[in-house]
Amino acid sequence: LAISKGADPAKIFKTLLGANTSMFYPKETQSLIRQKYMIPEDHKIMLTVSHLVPRKGQDMVIKALPKILKEIPNLTYLIGGRGEYFESLKALVSELHLEAQVRFLGFIKDEEINDLFNACDVFIMPNRQEDYDVEGFGIVFADAAACGKATIAGNSGGAVDAIVHNETGYLVDPLSVDDITDKCIKLLSDDELRKRFGQNGYQRVQNELNWDSVREKIYKQINKLSKR
């Protein structure tokens, strides 16, 4: 975007954002979250935590659920957050008769977000562009990865930098129910794949997607420019 407006490419420095690793880290919370939200012991858990607006893609996950449930019948989808799209999402859940599988958690306090990340099996947010509204980076994917979780994001906006496709998670066509369905089933049905993606994401956060690393990169660039 900067270059398209006439910026000199040689004068652009890009760095990714980072997870807050003092706030997001692996811990055992599944029993706590299952008990709090009355989730059966044998259910896999998918999670989205975000503002409830169309571009976050919760509606596409809900539309994909009937097909996903045919392969993964023991599944609960948790949606955390508040926003203008809540009534539409709730109506869609009712229309598809998914009240038993989808739980709206409402506003999530900061101290509970780490518990939710650690309790889920897959973090999913198939973000898409809506007019000029686009995902800037998708730091929530880095936060989930900091907890060792496999992630699914929309192949749109900054999310393409937050996930390494086929290594830390999947980038899906955010407008394709079939693509979302396929990737959810792959991850939910393969414990080893989920674990590998989660571990890869965790290592990436430790190596580069954390604020200490980001600060160091920016500091080095400023130092380089000041010497120049």
Side-chain angles (χ1 to χ4, degrees), residues 40 42-45 68-69 71-76 101 121 188:
D42 62 343
H43 274 216
K44 291 286 196 301
I45 299 172
I68 297 170
L69 288 165
E71 299 294 328
I72 315 289
N74 297 332
L75 175 65
T76 295
Q101 289 80 28
D121 293 286
L188 291 167

Side-chain angles (χ1 to χ4, degrees), residues 19-95:
N20 181 347
T21 52
S22 64
M23 182 176 177
F24 300 106
Y25 52 87
K27 63 186 289 194
E28 176 50 53
T29 62
Q30 267 215 357
S31 297
L32 172 71
I33 295 300
R34 286 184 188 279
Q35 183 177 12
K36 181 170 184 176
Y37 296 109
M38 295 179 291
I39 302 169
E41 286 294 324
D42 62 343
H43 274 216
K44 291 286 196 301
I45 299 172
M46 285 203 307
L47 172 70
T48 304
V49 176
S50 73
H51 193 50
L52 303 186
V53 293
R55 75 169 172 87
K56 297 294 186 178
Q58 298 98 331
D59 56 342
M60 295 301 290
V61 181
I62 293 168
K63 290 176 182 178
L65 273 178
K67 290 184 177 181
I68 297 170
L69 288 165
K70 288 180 181 179
E71 299 294 328
I72 315 289
N74 297 332
L75 175 65
T76 295
Y77 177 38
L78 302 179
I79 300 175
R82 296 183 300 193
E84 63 195 52
Y85 210 35
F86 170 69
E87 291 299 335
S88 296
L89 293 173
K90 189 177 178 181
L92 182 59
V93 168
S94 178
E95 177 187 334

Side-chain angles (χ1 to χ4, degrees), residues 110-124:
D110 285 349
E111 54 267 29
E112 189 185 0
I113 297 177
N114 191 50
D115 291 344
L116 281 169
F117 280 142
N118 278 285
C120 77
D121 293 286
V122 172
F123 182 86
I124 180 169

Side-chain angles (χ1 to χ4, degrees), residues 9-223:
K11 294 186 176 182
I12 295 175
F13 169 72
K14 174 184 171 182
T15 182
L16 303 180
L17 302 182
N20 181 347
T21 52
S22 64
M23 182 176 177
F24 300 106
Y25 52 87
K27 63 186 289 194
E28 176 50 53
T29 62
Q30 267 215 357
S31 297
L32 172 71
I33 295 300
R34 286 184 188 279
Q35 183 177 12
K36 181 170 184 176
Y37 296 109
M38 295 179 291
I39 302 169
E41 286 294 324
D42 62 343
H43 274 216
K44 291 286 196 301
I45 299 172
M46 285 203 307
L47 172 70
T48 304
V49 176
S50 73
H51 193 50
L52 303 186
V53 293
R55 75 169 172 87
K56 297 294 186 178
Q58 298 98 331
D59 56 342
M60 295 301 290
V61 181
I62 293 168
K63 290 176 182 178
L65 273 178
K67 290 184 177 181
I68 297 170
L69 288 165
K70 288 180 181 179
E71 299 294 328
I72 315 289
N74 297 332
L75 175 65
T76 295
Y77 177 38
L78 302 179
I79 300 175
R82 296 183 300 193
E84 63 195 52
Y85 210 35
F86 170 69
E87 291 299 335
S88 296
L89 293 173
K90 189 177 178 181
L92 182 59
V93 168
S94 178
E95 177 187 334
L96 297 175
H97 309 291
L98 295 169
E99 290 90 345
Q101 289 80 28
V102 180
R103 311 279 177 84
F104 290 98
L105 309 184
F107 175 74
I108 305 298
K109 295 179 181 178
D110 285 349
E111 54 267 29
E112 189 185 0
I113 297 177
N114 191 50
D115 291 344
L116 281 169
F117 280 142
N118 278 285
C120 77
D121 293 286
V122 172
F123 182 86
I124 180 169
M125 194 181 80
N127 52 284
R128 62 181 183 259
Q129 184 164 346
E130 291 275 330
D131 295 323
Y132 291 103
D133 194 11
V134 63
E135 194 71 24
F137 172 66
I139 199 167
V140 69
F141 299 113
D143 294 338
C147 299
K149 298 301 172 177
T151 50
I152 298 176
N155 192 8
S156 171
V160 300
D161 289 327
I163 287 180
V164 180
H165 184 62
N166 276 328
E167 288 187 23
T168 68
Y170 290 125
L171 291 168
V172 298
D173 178 349
L175 300 179
S176 171
V177 167
D178 288 341
D179 195 16
I180 293 169
T181 299
D182 176 63
K183 298 306 187 295
C184 285
I185 290 173
K186 280 184 178 179
L187 277 181
L188 291 167
S189 62
D190 192 331
D191 293 348
E192 286 302 314
L193 179 64
R194 240 182 12 258
K195 183 178 179 180
R196 184 169 76 249
F197 279 9
Q199 187 59 34
N200 289 344
Y202 177 79
Q203 286 301 322
R204 187 174 183 227
V205 167
Q206 300 308 305
N207 294 337
E208 60 174 316
L209 292 188
N210 64 80
W211 286 116
D212 287 338
S213 296
V214 171
R215 182 182 64 232
E216 185 64 21
K217 289 177 184 176
I218 294 173
Y219 172 79
K220 286 181 178 178
Q221 183 66 11
I222 292 173
N223 194 42

